[in-house]
Amino acid sequence: MEISGIFSAIVVGVVIGVIGRLVLPGRQRIGIVATIVVGFVAALLGTAIAAGFDVAQTRGVDWTEWLIQIGLAAFGVALLDRGRVRRR
């Protein structure tokens, strides 16, 4: 993977993570680095799931793939947020 591929993966992780946080109601008590990591992992898993259902490569914008990724990011953010609440 080249530097441009790594950079674009981080940007996609940021976008997916932030949208995943916006989908959830209320305030989440996780940092920006955790949001980026959750977004990055959600983007990778979402792409794999979309490829498994054969919806990853479509004409135009891959809305189904984006929705899967955002749903996974929201789930990941909610899990991390709940884990932080229980530890306190």
Side-chain angles (χ1 to χ4, degrees):
M1 182 178 269
E2 296 179 15
I3 296 295
S4 62
I6 294 170
F7 181 72
S8 61
I10 291 171
V11 170
V12 169
V14 169
V15 171
I16 295 295
V18 168
I19 293 173
R21 280 185 79 156
L22 290 174
V23 171
L24 294 174
R27 183 170 184 247
Q28 294 80 37
R29 292 171 289 280
I30 66 170
I32 190 67
V33 174
T35 302
I36 293 170
V37 170
V38 166
F40 182 73
V41 171
L44 291 176
L45 287 175
T47 300
I49 291 170
F53 286 114
D54 200 29
V55 293
Q57 299 296 325
T58 60
R59 292 178 145 190
V61 179
D62 296 327
W63 293 109
T64 307
E65 183 177 0
W66 272 82
L67 289 174
I68 293 169
Q69 291 170 338
I70 292 168
L72 289 171
F75 180 73
V77 167
L79 273 175
L80 283 178
D81 185 45
R82 297 215 192 274
R84 289 202 184 266
V85 170
R86 289 184 182 160
R87 288 183 187 171
R88 289 183 179 189

